[in-house]
Amino acid sequence: DEKKIKEFLKNMVFSFTKSFILTMFTFFRKKYNIKISDAIIVSSSYMLNIPLVSNDKQLFKIKETEIITYEKFKENFIRK
């Protein structure tokens, strides 16, 4: 029974995640008129609450999630 419950819960989380990303994908695509691939990436960044590292200037207009350049990423996260 425990195994069945764990499997059920795992599928529920995946289903919720997929549904949420699809909702946010649609939102970002319509609001900012970005490419499909960019909308998927931005939606994933938003859902995971992590900065998106990109040098694509078009993405910097998105305010719902943090977009940072690779240079800024190197300055803040890569130790020398």
Side-chain angles (χ1 to χ4, degrees), residues 41-70:
I41 294 166
V42 169
S43 300
S44 299
S45 170
Y46 179 83
M47 186 203 74
L48 295 169
N49 195 29
I50 59 172
L52 173 60
V53 178
S54 177
N55 286 326
D56 185 344
K57 293 182 187 341
Q58 184 182 13
L59 297 182
F60 286 91
K61 64 186 174 184
I62 298 170
K63 302 299 178 203
E64 291 81 3
T65 192
E66 184 180 6
I67 315 286
I68 61 175
T69 64
Y70 180 69

PDB file of all heavy atoms in Angstrom, residues 41-70:
ATOM      1  N   ILE A  41      11.488  27.843 -21.141  1.00  0.00           N
ATOM      2  CA  ILE A  41      12.616  28.062 -20.233  1.00  0.00           C
ATOM      3  C   ILE A  41      12.254  29.074 -19.151  1.00  0.00           C
ATOM      4  O   ILE A  41      12.535  28.857 -17.961  1.00  0.00           O
ATOM      5  CB  ILE A  41      13.861  28.504 -21.033  1.00  0.00           C
ATOM      6  CG1 ILE A  41      14.338  27.360 -21.934  1.00  0.00           C
ATOM      7  CG2 ILE A  41      14.969  28.980 -20.109  1.00  0.00           C
ATOM      8  CD1 ILE A  41      15.331  27.773 -22.989  1.00  0.00           C
ATOM      9  N   VAL A  42      11.621  30.161 -19.527  1.00  0.00           N
ATOM     10  CA  VAL A  42      11.220  31.181 -18.552  1.00  0.00           C
ATOM     11  C   VAL A  42      10.205  30.595 -17.557  1.00  0.00           C
ATOM     12  O   VAL A  42      10.292  30.850 -16.358  1.00  0.00           O
ATOM     13  CB  VAL A  42      10.648  32.427 -19.268  1.00  0.00           C
ATOM     14  CG1 VAL A  42       9.995  33.378 -18.287  1.00  0.00           C
ATOM     15  CG2 VAL A  42      11.746  33.138 -20.037  1.00  0.00           C
ATOM     16  N   SER A  43       9.271  29.805 -18.047  1.00  0.00           N
ATOM     17  CA  SER A  43       8.278  29.178 -17.166  1.00  0.00           C
ATOM     18  C   SER A  43       8.934  28.251 -16.160  1.00  0.00           C
ATOM     19  O   SER A  43       8.548  28.219 -14.987  1.00  0.00           O
ATOM     20  CB  SER A  43       7.268  28.380 -17.991  1.00  0.00           C
ATOM     21  OG  SER A  43       6.597  29.215 -18.881  1.00  0.00           O
ATOM     22  N   SER A  44       9.924  27.514 -16.593  1.00  0.00           N
ATOM     23  CA  SER A  44      10.639  26.609 -15.687  1.00  0.00           C
ATOM     24  C   SER A  44      11.412  27.400 -14.644  1.00  0.00           C
ATOM     25  O   SER A  44      11.400  27.058 -13.458  1.00  0.00           O
ATOM     26  CB  SER A  44      11.594  25.710 -16.480  1.00  0.00           C
ATOM     27  OG  SER A  44      10.867  24.925 -17.388  1.00  0.00           O
ATOM     28  N   SER A  45      12.065  28.457 -15.057  1.00  0.00           N
ATOM     29  CA  SER A  45      12.792  29.317 -14.128  1.00  0.00           C
ATOM     30  C   SER A  45      11.835  29.902 -13.097  1.00  0.00           C
ATOM     31  O   SER A  45      12.124  29.929 -11.900  1.00  0.00           O
ATOM     32  CB  SER A  45      13.490  30.435 -14.906  1.00  0.00           C
ATOM     33  OG  SER A  45      14.012  31.403 -14.043  1.00  0.00           O
ATOM     34  N   TYR A  46      10.694  30.366 -13.561  1.00  0.00           N
ATOM     35  CA  TYR A  46       9.681  30.941 -12.679  1.00  0.00           C
ATOM     36  C   TYR A  46       9.190  29.904 -11.668  1.00  0.00           C
ATOM     37  O   TYR A  46       9.109  30.171 -10.475  1.00  0.00           O
ATOM     38  CB  TYR A  46       8.520  31.474 -13.522  1.00  0.00           C
ATOM     39  CG  TYR A  46       7.411  32.066 -12.705  1.00  0.00           C
ATOM     40  CD1 TYR A  46       7.484  33.376 -12.242  1.00  0.00           C
ATOM     41  CD2 TYR A  46       6.282  31.318 -12.396  1.00  0.00           C
ATOM     42  CE1 TYR A  46       6.465  33.930 -11.490  1.00  0.00           C
ATOM     43  CE2 TYR A  46       5.258  31.861 -11.645  1.00  0.00           C
ATOM     44  CZ  TYR A  46       5.356  33.161 -11.192  1.00  0.00           C
ATOM     45  OH  TYR A  46       4.338  33.706 -10.440  1.00  0.00           O
ATOM     46  N   MET A  47       8.859  28.711 -12.166  1.00  0.00           N
ATOM     47  CA  MET A  47       8.333  27.664 -11.292  1.00  0.00           C
ATOM     48  C   MET A  47       9.354  27.244 -10.233  1.00  0.00           C
ATOM     49  O   MET A  47       9.011  27.032  -9.079  1.00  0.00           O
ATOM     50  CB  MET A  47       7.920  26.445 -12.101  1.00  0.00           C
ATOM     51  CG  MET A  47       7.239  25.390 -11.255  1.00  0.00           C
ATOM     52  SD  MET A  47       7.334  23.751 -11.963  1.00  0.00           S
ATOM     53  CE  MET A  47       9.012  23.339 -11.673  1.00  0.00           C
ATOM     54  N   LEU A  48      10.609  27.143 -10.623  1.00  0.00           N
ATOM     55  CA  LEU A  48      11.663  26.713  -9.698  1.00  0.00           C
ATOM     56  C   LEU A  48      12.176  27.858  -8.826  1.00  0.00           C
ATOM     57  O   LEU A  48      12.965  27.637  -7.919  1.00  0.00           O
ATOM     58  CB  LEU A  48      12.821  26.107 -10.496  1.00  0.00           C
ATOM     59  CG  LEU A  48      12.487  24.820 -11.236  1.00  0.00           C
ATOM     60  CD1 LEU A  48      13.616  24.451 -12.195  1.00  0.00           C
ATOM     61  CD2 LEU A  48      12.220  23.685 -10.251  1.00  0.00           C
ATOM     62  N   ASN A  49      11.753  29.077  -9.143  1.00  0.00           N
ATOM     63  CA  ASN A  49      12.168  30.260  -8.399  1.00  0.00           C
ATOM     64  C   ASN A  49      13.693  30.417  -8.395  1.00  0.00           C
ATOM     65  O   ASN A  49      14.310  30.632  -7.355  1.00  0.00           O
ATOM     66  CB  ASN A  49      11.607  30.242  -6.977  1.00  0.00           C
ATOM     67  CG  ASN A  49      11.705  31.588  -6.313  1.00  0.00           C
ATOM     68  OD1 ASN A  49      11.671  32.620  -6.975  1.00  0.00           O
ATOM     69  ND2 ASN A  49      11.851  31.594  -5.005  1.00  0.00           N
ATOM     70  N   ILE A  50      14.264  30.258  -9.595  1.00  0.00           N
ATOM     71  CA  ILE A  50      15.710  30.422  -9.763  1.00  0.00           C
ATOM     72  C   ILE A  50      15.964  31.428 -10.893  1.00  0.00           C
ATOM     73  O   ILE A  50      15.152  31.547 -11.806  1.00  0.00           O
ATOM     74  CB  ILE A  50      16.423  29.085 -10.077  1.00  0.00           C
ATOM     75  CG1 ILE A  50      15.862  28.453 -11.346  1.00  0.00           C
ATOM     76  CG2 ILE A  50      16.355  28.143  -8.901  1.00  0.00           C
ATOM     77  CD1 ILE A  50      16.627  27.239 -11.819  1.00  0.00           C
ATOM     78  N   PRO A  51      17.070  32.156 -10.821  1.00  0.00           N
ATOM     79  CA  PRO A  51      17.371  33.109 -11.894  1.00  0.00           C
ATOM     80  C   PRO A  51      17.634  32.388 -13.215  1.00  0.00           C
ATOM     81  O   PRO A  51      18.158  31.281 -13.236  1.00  0.00           O
ATOM     82  CB  PRO A  51      18.648  33.806 -11.425  1.00  0.00           C
ATOM     83  CG  PRO A  51      18.851  33.430 -10.017  1.00  0.00           C
ATOM     84  CD  PRO A  51      18.065  32.181  -9.763  1.00  0.00           C
ATOM     85  N   LEU A  52      17.260  33.037 -14.284  1.00  0.00           N
ATOM     86  CA  LEU A  52      17.535  32.526 -15.614  1.00  0.00           C
ATOM     87  C   LEU A  52      18.757  33.268 -16.146  1.00  0.00           C
ATOM     88  O   LEU A  52      18.784  34.496 -16.143  1.00  0.00           O
ATOM     89  CB  LEU A  52      16.334  32.754 -16.536  1.00  0.00           C
ATOM     90  CG  LEU A  52      16.530  32.410 -18.005  1.00  0.00           C
ATOM     91  CD1 LEU A  52      16.890  30.947 -18.177  1.00  0.00           C
ATOM     92  CD2 LEU A  52      15.280  32.748 -18.788  1.00  0.00           C
ATOM     93  N   VAL A  53      19.756  32.523 -16.553  1.00  0.00           N
ATOM     94  CA  VAL A  53      20.979  33.121 -17.084  1.00  0.00           C
ATOM     95  C   VAL A  53      20.850  33.175 -18.603  1.00  0.00           C
ATOM     96  O   VAL A  53      20.691  32.150 -19.259  1.00  0.00           O
ATOM     97  CB  VAL A  53      22.225  32.295 -16.682  1.00  0.00           C
ATOM     98  CG1 VAL A  53      23.477  32.913 -17.274  1.00  0.00           C
ATOM     99  CG2 VAL A  53      22.328  32.175 -15.170  1.00  0.00           C
ATOM    100  N   SER A  54      20.901  34.401 -19.124  1.00  0.00           N
ATOM    101  CA  SER A  54      20.738  34.582 -20.567  1.00  0.00           C
ATOM    102  C   SER A  54      21.332  35.918 -20.997  1.00  0.00           C
ATOM    103  O   SER A  54      21.342  36.874 -20.229  1.00  0.00           O
ATOM    104  CB  SER A  54      19.255  34.554 -20.939  1.00  0.00           C
ATOM    105  OG  SER A  54      19.087  34.803 -22.313  1.00  0.00           O
ATOM    106  N   ASN A  55      21.795  35.973 -22.213  1.00  0.00           N
ATOM    107  CA  ASN A  55      22.229  37.237 -22.803  1.00  0.00           C
ATOM    108  C   ASN A  55      21.229  37.718 -23.865  1.00  0.00           C
ATOM    109  O   ASN A  55      21.508  38.656 -24.592  1.00  0.00           O
ATOM    110  CB  ASN A  55      23.631  37.103 -23.407  1.00  0.00           C
ATOM    111  CG  ASN A  55      24.697  37.049 -22.343  1.00  0.00           C
ATOM    112  OD1 ASN A  55      24.582  37.684 -21.297  1.00  0.00           O
ATOM    113  ND2 ASN A  55      25.731  36.263 -22.575  1.00  0.00           N
ATOM    114  N   ASP A  56      20.084  37.052 -23.918  1.00  0.00           N
ATOM    115  CA  ASP A  56      19.029  37.419 -24.856  1.00  0.00           C
ATOM    116  C   ASP A  56      18.319  38.671 -24.336  1.00  0.00           C
ATOM    117  O   ASP A  56      17.560  38.618 -23.375  1.00  0.00           O
ATOM    118  CB  ASP A  56      18.042  36.262 -25.006  1.00  0.00           C
ATOM    119  CG  ASP A  56      16.975  36.516 -26.050  1.00  0.00           C
ATOM    120  OD1 ASP A  56      16.779  37.682 -26.454  1.00  0.00           O
ATOM    121  OD2 ASP A  56      16.319  35.535 -26.452  1.00  0.00           O
ATOM    122  N   LYS A  57      18.583  39.802 -24.961  1.00  0.00           N
ATOM    123  CA  LYS A  57      18.049  41.090 -24.496  1.00  0.00           C
ATOM    124  C   LYS A  57      16.525  41.104 -24.425  1.00  0.00           C
ATOM    125  O   LYS A  57      15.943  41.791 -23.590  1.00  0.00           O
ATOM    126  CB  LYS A  57      18.555  42.212 -25.383  1.00  0.00           C
ATOM    127  CG  LYS A  57      20.044  42.454 -25.266  1.00  0.00           C
ATOM    128  CD  LYS A  57      20.463  43.614 -26.135  1.00  0.00           C
ATOM    129  CE  LYS A  57      21.918  43.872 -26.262  1.00  0.00           C
ATOM    130  NZ  LYS A  57      22.877  43.409 -25.390  1.00  0.00           N
ATOM    131  N   GLN A  58      15.881  40.348 -25.290  1.00  0.00           N
ATOM    132  CA  GLN A  58      14.421  40.307 -25.303  1.00  0.00           C
ATOM    133  C   GLN A  58      13.852  39.768 -23.979  1.00  0.00           C
ATOM    134  O   GLN A  58      12.786  40.188 -23.546  1.00  0.00           O
ATOM    135  CB  GLN A  58      13.924  39.449 -26.466  1.00  0.00           C
ATOM    136  CG  GLN A  58      12.417  39.436 -26.588  1.00  0.00           C
ATOM    137  CD  GLN A  58      11.911  38.556 -27.705  1.00  0.00           C
ATOM    138  OE1 GLN A  58      12.644  37.762 -28.267  1.00  0.00           O
ATOM    139  NE2 GLN A  58      10.639  38.682 -28.021  1.00  0.00           N
ATOM    140  N   LEU A  59      14.582  38.889 -23.321  1.00  0.00           N
ATOM    141  CA  LEU A  59      14.075  38.283 -22.087  1.00  0.00           C
ATOM    142  C   LEU A  59      14.148  39.230 -20.887  1.00  0.00           C
ATOM    143  O   LEU A  59      13.442  39.029 -19.905  1.00  0.00           O
ATOM    144  CB  LEU A  59      14.833  36.989 -21.781  1.00  0.00           C
ATOM    145  CG  LEU A  59      14.686  35.876 -22.816  1.00  0.00           C
ATOM    146  CD1 LEU A  59      15.456  34.641 -22.371  1.00  0.00           C
ATOM    147  CD2 LEU A  59      13.228  35.543 -23.064  1.00  0.00           C
ATOM    148  N   PHE A  60      14.960  40.260 -20.978  1.00  0.00           N
ATOM    149  CA  PHE A  60      15.118  41.168 -19.845  1.00  0.00           C
ATOM    150  C   PHE A  60      13.884  42.029 -19.585  1.00  0.00           C
ATOM    151  O   PHE A  60      13.777  42.659 -18.544  1.00  0.00           O
ATOM    152  CB  PHE A  60      16.373  42.028 -19.998  1.00  0.00           C
ATOM    153  CG  PHE A  60      17.613  41.239 -19.735  1.00  0.00           C
ATOM    154  CD1 PHE A  60      18.276  40.590 -20.766  1.00  0.00           C
ATOM    155  CD2 PHE A  60      18.104  41.100 -18.444  1.00  0.00           C
ATOM    156  CE1 PHE A  60      19.406  39.829 -20.525  1.00  0.00           C
ATOM    157  CE2 PHE A  60      19.238  40.350 -18.197  1.00  0.00           C
ATOM    158  CZ  PHE A  60      19.888  39.706 -19.235  1.00  0.00           C
ATOM    159  N   LYS A  61      12.936  42.019 -20.501  1.00  0.00           N
ATOM    160  CA  LYS A  61      11.689  42.744 -20.267  1.00  0.00           C
ATOM    161  C   LYS A  61      10.735  41.965 -19.350  1.00  0.00           C
ATOM    162  O   LYS A  61       9.772  42.532 -18.845  1.00  0.00           O
ATOM    163  CB  LYS A  61      11.006  43.069 -21.598  1.00  0.00           C
ATOM    164  CG  LYS A  61      10.568  41.850 -22.385  1.00  0.00           C
ATOM    165  CD  LYS A  61      10.031  42.236 -23.759  1.00  0.00           C
ATOM    166  CE  LYS A  61       9.745  41.003 -24.591  1.00  0.00           C
ATOM    167  NZ  LYS A  61       9.311  41.330 -25.935  1.00  0.00           N
ATOM    168  N   ILE A  62      11.029  40.702 -19.115  1.00  0.00           N
ATOM    169  CA  ILE A  62      10.181  39.865 -18.259  1.00  0.00           C
ATOM    170  C   ILE A  62      10.451  40.213 -16.797  1.00  0.00           C
ATOM    171  O   ILE A  62      11.582  40.140 -16.339  1.00  0.00           O
ATOM    172  CB  ILE A  62      10.431  38.366 -18.539  1.00  0.00           C
ATOM    173  CG1 ILE A  62      10.060  38.054 -19.990  1.00  0.00           C
ATOM    174  CG2 ILE A  62       9.659  37.497 -17.565  1.00  0.00           C
ATOM    175  CD1 ILE A  62      10.461  36.689 -20.468  1.00  0.00           C
ATOM    176  N   LYS A  63       9.412  40.601 -16.099  1.00  0.00           N
ATOM    177  CA  LYS A  63       9.567  41.077 -14.717  1.00  0.00           C
ATOM    178  C   LYS A  63       9.173  40.041 -13.669  1.00  0.00           C
ATOM    179  O   LYS A  63       9.487  40.197 -12.498  1.00  0.00           O
ATOM    180  CB  LYS A  63       8.724  42.343 -14.497  1.00  0.00           C
ATOM    181  CG  LYS A  63       9.089  43.476 -15.445  1.00  0.00           C
ATOM    182  CD  LYS A  63      10.526  43.891 -15.261  1.00  0.00           C
ATOM    183  CE  LYS A  63      10.910  44.995 -16.232  1.00  0.00           C
ATOM    184  NZ  LYS A  63      12.323  45.065 -16.477  1.00  0.00           N
ATOM    185  N   GLU A  64       8.501  38.982 -14.074  1.00  0.00           N
ATOM    186  CA  GLU A  64       7.992  38.003 -13.102  1.00  0.00           C
ATOM    187  C   GLU A  64       9.058  37.060 -12.556  1.00  0.00           C
ATOM    188  O   GLU A  64       8.851  36.395 -11.551  1.00  0.00           O
ATOM    189  CB  GLU A  64       6.857  37.173 -13.721  1.00  0.00           C
ATOM    190  CG  GLU A  64       5.587  37.943 -13.965  1.00  0.00           C
ATOM    191  CD  GLU A  64       5.606  38.781 -15.243  1.00  0.00           C
ATOM    192  OE1 GLU A  64       6.590  38.733 -16.004  1.00  0.00           O
ATOM    193  OE2 GLU A  64       4.623  39.493 -15.456  1.00  0.00           O
ATOM    194  N   THR A  65      10.179  36.964 -13.246  1.00  0.00           N
ATOM    195  CA  THR A  65      11.272  36.110 -12.788  1.00  0.00           C
ATOM    196  C   THR A  65      12.593  36.841 -13.032  1.00  0.00           C
ATOM    197  O   THR A  65      12.672  37.735 -13.865  1.00  0.00           O
ATOM    198  CB  THR A  65      11.250  34.728 -13.489  1.00  0.00           C
ATOM    199  OG1 THR A  65      12.137  33.835 -12.839  1.00  0.00           O
ATOM    200  CG2 THR A  65      11.606  34.821 -14.954  1.00  0.00           C
ATOM    201  N   GLU A  66      13.602  36.465 -12.273  1.00  0.00           N
ATOM    202  CA  GLU A  66      14.891  37.150 -12.386  1.00  0.00           C
ATOM    203  C   GLU A  66      15.671  36.632 -13.594  1.00  0.00           C
ATOM    204  O   GLU A  66      15.896  35.436 -13.731  1.00  0.00           O
ATOM    205  CB  GLU A  66      15.713  36.936 -11.110  1.00  0.00           C
ATOM    206  CG  GLU A  66      17.007  37.685 -11.097  1.00  0.00           C
ATOM    207  CD  GLU A  66      17.814  37.469  -9.821  1.00  0.00           C
ATOM    208  OE1 GLU A  66      17.422  36.635  -8.983  1.00  0.00           O
ATOM    209  OE2 GLU A  66      18.844  38.134  -9.692  1.00  0.00           O
ATOM    210  N   ILE A  67      16.081  37.551 -14.441  1.00  0.00           N
ATOM    211  CA  ILE A  67      16.914  37.231 -15.607  1.00  0.00           C
ATOM    212  C   ILE A  67      18.250  37.935 -15.389  1.00  0.00           C
ATOM    213  O   ILE A  67      18.279  39.137 -15.142  1.00  0.00           O
ATOM    214  CB  ILE A  67      16.284  37.735 -16.921  1.00  0.00           C
ATOM    215  CG1 ILE A  67      14.791  37.417 -17.014  1.00  0.00           C
ATOM    216  CG2 ILE A  67      17.070  37.217 -18.121  1.00  0.00           C
ATOM    217  CD1 ILE A  67      14.439  35.993 -17.286  1.00  0.00           C
ATOM    218  N   ILE A  68      19.340  37.186 -15.476  1.00  0.00           N
ATOM    219  CA  ILE A  68      20.657  37.788 -15.295  1.00  0.00           C
ATOM    220  C   ILE A  68      21.565  37.406 -16.463  1.00  0.00           C
ATOM    221  O   ILE A  68      21.400  36.365 -17.074  1.00  0.00           O
ATOM    222  CB  ILE A  68      21.317  37.390 -13.948  1.00  0.00           C
ATOM    223  CG1 ILE A  68      21.519  35.870 -13.851  1.00  0.00           C
ATOM    224  CG2 ILE A  68      20.510  37.895 -12.775  1.00  0.00           C
ATOM    225  CD1 ILE A  68      22.280  35.424 -12.608  1.00  0.00           C
ATOM    226  N   THR A  69      22.519  38.270 -16.740  1.00  0.00           N
ATOM    227  CA  THR A  69      23.475  37.983 -17.808  1.00  0.00           C
ATOM    228  C   THR A  69      24.478  36.936 -17.323  1.00  0.00           C
ATOM    229  O   THR A  69      24.652  36.728 -16.119  1.00  0.00           O
ATOM    230  CB  THR A  69      24.258  39.242 -18.229  1.00  0.00           C
ATOM    231  OG1 THR A  69      25.029  39.673 -17.112  1.00  0.00           O
ATOM    232  CG2 THR A  69      23.343  40.325 -18.734  1.00  0.00           C
ATOM    233  N   TYR A  70      25.174  36.345 -18.277  1.00  0.00           N
ATOM    234  CA  TYR A  70      26.208  35.379 -17.917  1.00  0.00           C
ATOM    235  C   TYR A  70      27.320  36.058 -17.133  1.00  0.00           C
ATOM    236  O   TYR A  70      27.865  35.499 -16.189  1.00  0.00           O
ATOM    237  CB  TYR A  70      26.751  34.679 -19.168  1.00  0.00           C
ATOM    238  CG  TYR A  70      27.818  33.677 -18.830  1.00  0.00           C
ATOM    239  CD1 TYR A  70      27.494  32.513 -18.141  1.00  0.00           C
ATOM    240  CD2 TYR A  70      29.150  33.901 -19.167  1.00  0.00           C
ATOM    241  CE1 TYR A  70      28.471  31.594 -17.802  1.00  0.00           C
ATOM    242  CE2 TYR A  70      30.128  32.985 -18.836  1.00  0.00           C
ATOM    243  CZ  TYR A  70      29.783  31.831 -18.153  1.00  0.00           C
ATOM    244  OH  TYR A  70      30.754  30.925 -17.798  1.00  0.00           O
TER     245      TYR A  70
END
